[in-house]
Amino acid sequence: MDSRRLAYLKALEIDVWERRDGSARVSAPQAEAAPAPVAPVIPIRATPEPVIQARAVPTPPSIEGDPSVAALGWDELATAVRSCTKCPLHATRTNGVFGVGDRRARWMIVGEAPGADEDKQGEPFVGRAGQLLNAMLKSVGLAREQVFIANILKSRPPNNRDPKPEEVRACIPYLYRQIELVNPALILCVGRIAAQTLLEVDTPIGKLRGTVHRIAANRPMVVTYHPAYLLRSPVEKRKSWADLLLAMRTFETLQSGATA
Ligand code: URA
């Protein structure tokens, strides 16, 4: 394992042991209160080839058909988000949080909604969860600036409550237009709310992980835990690491197919 990835896994607080033969094993820290005496261990080299189960999920008509958004370019879209009054959240937000990163990124990260820090700064994932997201990206060799990061909702729900269906309906055309404009090769969806919203299912996140889904004109999407959840449940970081490997290998597989 190269030393850079080793350093980032350590930053994720995923313990790594190198064997004499050069192979490595990782484990995540136990949750503070967990009584488990033995750290769970997963062999890195045993990561299976990505199963690209093309379960096509058509873009629902409810989110395709907003002509006021569908034709906007980057600057107009950013202005529309920052001045949006389509749902009542505009009355309580400080900033509409558009999204950040490389507008031609190959990876796009989709989260749920801005929290207090994001609302204040007008940028997604800048709080503690954002720092962990940055470390997760680094563990697969990506800098924050190399991806595009956006949320389902562009305005903060008060007290960080879950988004309401009518808020999602009002806001999600912005995200779909962002996906179209970025045209990413891969979407990494973080958290239950984002995953269930994009896939239009109620399936628990544990069952949505481990599969390459297809959304928004058949683009591959991998689901993992939300970094805020991982901060509360660090024992799940090893699963998140497996998800990141799935995302990376899916990306590499698709790239090699595209260039073959
Ligand atoms: N959580 C999210 O889902 N998005 C953010 O931007 C911040 C926290």
Side-chain angles (χ1 to χ4, degrees):
M1 178 179 294
D2 68 65
S3 58
R4 193 188 54 170
R5 184 163 303 156
L6 204 61
Y8 293 136
L9 283 174
K10 287 188 176 154
L12 282 178
E13 296 173 12
I14 295 176
D15 295 330
V16 182
W17 293 280
E18 294 252 35
R19 286 180 175 152
R20 285 200 195 103
D21 67 2
S23 65
R25 292 163 82 85
V26 297
S27 82
Q30 296 295 312
E32 269 166 35
V38 181
V41 173
I42 49 171
I44 287 182
R45 295 253 164 99
T47 310
E49 287 302 312
V51 182
I52 305 180
Q53 285 174 10
R55 187 172 68 84
V57 179
T59 304
S62 59
I63 53 187
E64 266 177 343
D66 187 335
S68 68
V69 169
L72 300 182
W74 274 113
D75 292 345
E76 299 160 302
L77 189 63
T79 303
V81 164
R82 292 188 180 118
S83 57
C84 184
T85 56
K86 286 185 184 176
C87 85
L89 293 179
H90 77 272
T92 49
R93 74 170 178 231
T94 310
N95 287 296
V97 178
F98 178 64
V100 73
D102 182 351
R103 292 180 172 185
R104 301 177 62 189
R106 307 315 293 134
W107 286 50
M108 184 156 169
I109 317 301
V110 179
E112 177 182 332
D117 294 319
E118 291 76 21
D119 178 60
K120 224 177 278 164
Q121 296 184 41
E123 182 172 326
F125 284 100
V126 291
R128 278 187 71 220
Q131 284 165 21
L132 181 54
L133 177 64
N134 294 348
M136 290 164 71
L137 292 172
K138 278 185 178 175
S139 75
V140 289
L142 290 167
R144 180 178 171 92
E145 299 72 34
Q146 285 178 286
V147 303
F148 192 86
I149 306 174
N151 284 313
I152 300 274
L153 287 194
K154 310 304 191 201
S155 300
R156 182 191 182 205
N159 305 315
N160 300 339
R161 65 157 167 72
D162 287 354
K164 294 182 178 171
E166 58 272 25
E167 293 160 356
V168 171
R169 264 196 304 278
C171 208
I172 207 157
Y174 295 130
L175 176 67
Y176 273 84
R177 183 63 183 143
Q178 288 175 311
I179 294 173
E180 258 177 11
L181 288 169
V182 174
N183 193 22
L186 183 96
I187 296 170
L188 179 68
C189 175
V190 298
R192 175 183 66 85
I193 299 276
Q196 291 179 340
T197 301
L198 290 174
L199 294 169
E200 294 208 317
V201 294
D202 293 330
T203 313
I205 186 165
K207 294 210 163 81
L208 297 174
R209 296 178 48 247
T211 299
V212 182
H213 304 274
R214 297 276 179 169
I215 69 153
N218 224 26
R219 293 164 215 273
M221 180 175 86
V222 170
V223 171
T224 193
Y225 293 114
H226 196 287
Y229 170 74
L230 295 175
L231 288 171
R232 294 192 301 275
S233 304
V235 71
E236 303 289 30
K237 282 183 184 171
R238 69 201 167 95
K239 292 189 195 158
S240 183
W241 169 238
D243 300 334
L244 291 167
L245 287 181
L246 172 64
M248 190 169 55
R249 299 184 74 172
T250 301
F251 177 71
E252 284 166 359
T253 303
L254 294 169
Q255 292 304 104
S256 60
T259 55

